[in-house]
Amino acid sequence: MQDRTLLFVTRSVRLFAYGFLSVILALYLSRIGLSDAEIGLLVTLTLLGDAAISLLITTTADRVGRRRMLLLGAMLMAIAGVVFALTESVPLLVVAAIIGVISPGGNEIGPFLSIEQAALSQLSSDERRTHVFAWYTLSGSLAAAAGALAGGWITQMLQMAGLTAVGSYRALLFAYAGAGVVLFVCFALLSPRVEVAAPVRSPSTRFGLHRSRNVVLKLSSLFALDAFAGGFIVQSILVYWFHLEFGADTGLLGTIFFAANLLAGLSSLLASRLARRFGLVNTMVFTHIPSNLLLLLVPLMPTLELAVAVLLARFAISQMDVPTRQSYTMAVVAPDERSAASGITTIARSVGASLSPALTGILLAHPVLRSVPFFLAGGLKIVYDLILYWSFRQVRPPEERNASN
């Protein structure tokens, strides 16, 4: 129980930091002189760098040690926060973005999620796995919501107290680095129970995978498509879009995304119940399609109030596929492939998501094209849902096979 509690704590600390960073990151980069296109490019490079680091760490975690790799990730997060706070040099920011762990979207990034999922699956039964993942998702969403709220209002209060906008943003970047230090301490307290019980010794193992290689490849391809679509509207870019389109300030934006992440987190508990009744794949697909239809409507709203209302309705159901997707991935691979499988699918998502922000930056620079990212994101996500259902509706996890016997 202690290990599970620590993993929930690290998830919450990390997502709180990601939440407040997402509110100020694009605004900070704009203030220090980066153009919209450069901001989009930096976000792309950040996601690509995180994908590369994650690939290295997660595919060796089961062999080298999960705790060791988590400690390394925490160090990279702290270093990245310090570098972003101390320099306005674009080349140095690019290096920190590629080597460090920076979350521009308020969502999980880096190696942490994959290794923690593998450990939680090992600490939970098949029947309890989705339930545990639902609470794990909820803890992160609540923390991200609180972080978004805190980030928006803290920067506004610091500016009211006389600090410059750039100074207030840098204060939060140092806080982000501090969160990395807290993670390091927590990961150091994990017990050997989180390590893989039976290390892979198969000579056919590649990137930590053996018999589940084909399934992981198919899932990774689909998750990359979903993430590519989502990359058009990562949270930091959504914040920036609302600022450009409606002139919303950081306090209001923090409040909006506090509510959005709160709704997303609470929906994860309902996802667990739906999955028990209808199955993991059905829950993933048939909650995701309506959320993407709502996403298509956001830029069509004529006022800030209506745009926020539709966005919040979308967030209320958009994350139901997260715990079910994570649980499904852990269920259809062997226990000694879990870190690698989760890592590779997460990396595929990171690579997919890294390609689209640069395009969004170009689109945002032209007022007449600012709505296009929403249409691209919503349309491509619906395509992903349909392909996922067609490809995996017959591939059931152990708990669903057992229930039908």
Side-chain angles (χ1 to χ4, degrees), residues 212-224 388 391-392:
S212 305
R213 194 175 301 151
N214 290 337
V215 170
V216 172
L217 179 61
K218 291 178 183 178
L219 287 173
S220 297
S221 300
L222 287 169
F223 293 168
L388 177 68
S391 302
F392 286 94

Side-chain angles (χ1 to χ4, degrees), residues 102-133:
I102 288 283
S103 174
N107 300 316
E108 277 284 12
I109 203 164
F112 307 110
L113 176 67
S114 304
I115 301 175
E116 288 181 354
Q117 284 177 352
L120 284 172
S121 296
Q122 186 165 303
L123 297 169
S124 309
S125 66
D126 287 338
E127 291 72 22
R128 294 278 298 171
R129 186 186 59 255
T130 303
H131 180 73
V132 170
F133 276 28

